[in-house]
Amino acid sequence: MFLSQRMSRIKPSPTLAVTARAAELKALGQDIISLGAGEPDFDTPEHIKTAAVKALSEGKTKYTAVEGTTALRKAIIEKFKKEDGLDYDLNQVIVCAGVKQVIFNALLASLNPGDEVIIPAPYWVSYPDMVEIAEGVPVIVRCAPEADLKLTPELLIESITPKSKWLVLNSPNNPSGMAYSHKELEALAKVISDVPHLNVISDDIYERLIFDKYKFVTLAQVAPELKDRILIVNGVSKTYAMTGWRIGYGAGAAELIEVMATLQSQSTSNACSISQEAALAALTGPQDFIKDWIKIYTERRDAAFDILNKTPGLHCFQPHGAFYLYPSCVELMGKKAPSGALISNDTDVATYLLESVGVAVVPGAAFGLSPYFRISYATDTKLLLEACRRISQAISLLR
Ligand code: GLU
């Protein structure tokens, strides 16, 4: 067999696949609204683009240090200090081509075959596949609706074995939008403290996208004694609408960061030099536009929530952050579409919505917790509302 066995265990990213399928149908002339990808519809702010153009004209077009320019890593350190009260040294920070590469590097650099990674579901689609690529074992923990789809200390205790190496925490969560409170993190930290071989990847990519009265807090703030066992991963993609620039960063133990950089030196080298200059401008430049965007996201969340939650058969959680709604569609199971097609899982729901009313959503199966589906409201408001009305109408036709 020409292909590696490794590849038989992994699948293409479902979020990217749904987005690609929607684009394909659109190109064929169909009336499609994609609520698939978690990608801000706003353009990258002008001052960030200007910094990239300046970097180009100044010839910043060569290799940088594998782990990122000193200027960018210093800006990241400053951000951690100012916003999260966390202190890091230069050798504790790495810049990669998106958070995807940070996590990928960390897992490949740390997992031995059979090492376990605890992943609370619903989870971001790529974690389990990345663990598989690194020959680890994803241990999926299904979180309960009663706990707002969050990991509880009891569930964590049940999932720990002598082989547990990492726990992946993501708050605000993709796809549920739920965020962990200080108290909830404290309770998890108590469990983690007692298990010295358990480390934590804290995926804080939606950190700034938090609404209402909620306050973002990260595990390392709550439990500073665990800081050396926590790898914080974050990036500029979501906050600054810079998905295509591919800049993510990680902060953690110097020993781990060093091997991640060694691995990166043998694979992709530094993240794009121009993008690093743009990310520097993002982190050090004006931040006031973010609150305007958050206002828009909040209005969209409320409007979409209102339509979907009023739809008989759907139940939404009111998200604390990120830009997703993750309605439960358990009451639709066993119903039939006007075509006669049976709805027996959330993939059927997603297929029905795409085929009947041209709305692309991601089925809960992709996030390890069914039956739900995810919509992204990082979408133009008019289109979003039209899509929600279509979803509601299509669901009312199920019998
Ligand atoms: N993280 C985003 C999402 O969940 C972007 C696509 C991806 O990389 O999965 O839609």
Side-chain angles (χ1 to χ4, degrees):
M1 169 65 161
F2 171 73
L3 300 174
S4 70
Q5 286 175 3
R6 184 180 303 115
M7 290 311 293
S8 67
R9 294 195 296 270
I10 69 163
K11 56 187 183 315
S13 160
T15 43
L16 299 184
V18 166
T19 311
R21 176 84 185 123
E24 228 172 75
L25 294 175
K26 228 172 168 170
L28 290 173
Q30 293 193 28
D31 174 18
I32 301 290
I33 306 177
S34 179
L35 305 181
E39 171 167 69
D41 56 315
F42 303 116
D43 195 6
T44 304
E46 230 24 74
H47 69 277
I48 299 175
K49 293 202 259 185
T50 305
V53 172
K54 184 162 171 275
L56 262 177
S57 60
E58 286 175 355
K60 293 190 173 161
T61 53
K62 310 287 190 214
Y63 293 128
T64 72
V66 170
E67 54 273 37
T69 64
T70 304
L72 179 53
R73 281 181 296 143
K74 278 189 172 160
I76 292 164
I77 289 170
E78 191 52 35
K79 174 240 165 291
F80 277 120
K81 198 175 179 61
K82 211 169 93 199
E83 287 175 17
D84 313 298
L86 295 171
D87 288 314
Y88 289 101
D89 293 328
L90 267 181
N91 63 354
Q92 294 180 299
V93 173
I94 186 169
V95 176
C96 306
V99 176
K100 259 181 171 155
Q101 194 185 17
V102 188
I103 302 173
F104 194 87
N105 281 348
L107 294 173
L108 218 55
S110 62
L111 292 181
N112 289 311
D115 282 347
E116 294 176 359
V117 179
I118 301 168
I119 305 175
Y123 50 70
W124 174 52
V125 295
S126 293
Y127 301 141
D129 292 71
M130 288 185 184
V131 172
E132 294 274 7
I133 294 169
E135 295 183 61
V137 179
V139 175
I140 308 301
V141 183
R142 294 166 57 87
C143 299
E146 299 75 34
D148 279 349
L149 304 180
K150 289 189 257 188
L151 181 68
T152 59
E154 294 74 24
L155 276 179
L156 177 58
I157 291 168
E158 274 172 33
S159 61
I160 294 171
T161 77
K163 293 198 158 227
S164 308
K165 192 158 225 171
W166 289 105
L167 159 69
V168 184
L169 272 185
N170 172 218
S171 173
N173 175 269
N174 174 4
S176 74
M178 307 313 276
Y180 288 81
S181 68
H182 194 284
K183 213 167 134 211
E184 287 165 335
L185 288 178
E186 226 167 42
L188 293 175
K190 261 202 189 120
V191 178
I192 298 161
S193 292
D194 290 340
V195 188
H197 55 87
L198 183 63
N199 304 279
V200 182
I201 292 177
S202 180
D203 183 346
D204 297 355
I205 186 73
Y206 296 100
E207 169 190 24
R208 299 289 289 276
L209 305 181
I210 193 130
F211 315 134
D212 310 325
K213 59 185 189 305
Y214 298 100
K215 205 179 152 328
F216 171 81
V217 59
T218 192
L219 185 68
Q221 284 173 294
V222 172
E225 70 284 3
L226 294 179
K227 186 165 157 258
D228 281 350
R229 287 162 56 193
I230 300 171
L231 176 71
I232 299 187
V233 302
N234 204 331
V236 293
S237 294
K238 313 289 182 183
T239 306
Y240 301 97
M242 292 178 69
T243 46
W245 300 77
R246 309 310 302 136
I247 294 291
Y249 52 86
E255 185 197 9
L256 173 66
I257 299 294
E258 189 186 338
V259 285
M260 287 167 66
T262 303
L263 178 64
Q264 191 166 305
S265 78
Q266 296 291 18
S267 53
T268 57
S269 306
N270 59 273
C272 167
S273 58
I274 307 299
S275 296
Q276 289 192 62
E277 292 297 318
L280 176 62
L283 291 179
T284 56
Q287 307 288 309
D288 42 320
F289 64 92
I290 300 173
K291 70 172 183 335
D292 302 333
W293 287 2
I294 286 178
K295 190 164 166 275
I296 296 171
Y297 285 138
T298 312
E299 284 163 8
R300 289 175 182 172
R301 177 200 63 175
D302 292 343
F305 178 92
D306 198 48
I307 299 175
L308 295 184
N309 210 39
K310 276 191 189 138
T311 303
L314 295 185
H315 296 280
C316 292
F317 295 87
Q318 175 91 328
H320 308 151
F323 35 57
Y324 307 109
L325 284 175
Y326 197 55
S328 158
C329 52
V330 67
E331 287 176 20
L332 306 184
M333 299 302 110
K335 295 200 178 224
K336 280 196 172 151
S339 67
L342 180 69
I343 303 287
S344 49
N345 53 46
D346 51 29
T347 303
D348 292 343
V349 174
T351 305
Y352 170 63
L353 292 177
L354 186 61
E355 287 176 358
S356 65
V357 287
V359 177
V361 302
V362 188
F367 306 97
L369 199 74
S370 293
Y372 294 83
F373 61 88
R374 186 190 82 173
I375 70 152
S376 163
Y377 53 86
T379 307
D380 169 79
T381 307
K382 250 175 78 190
L383 279 180
L384 171 72
L385 296 184
E386 165 67 14
C388 289
R389 282 192 280 269
R390 288 190 197 179
I391 292 174
S392 189
Q393 189 229 346
I395 286 177
S396 72
L397 297 177
L398 296 175
R399 292 287 173 266

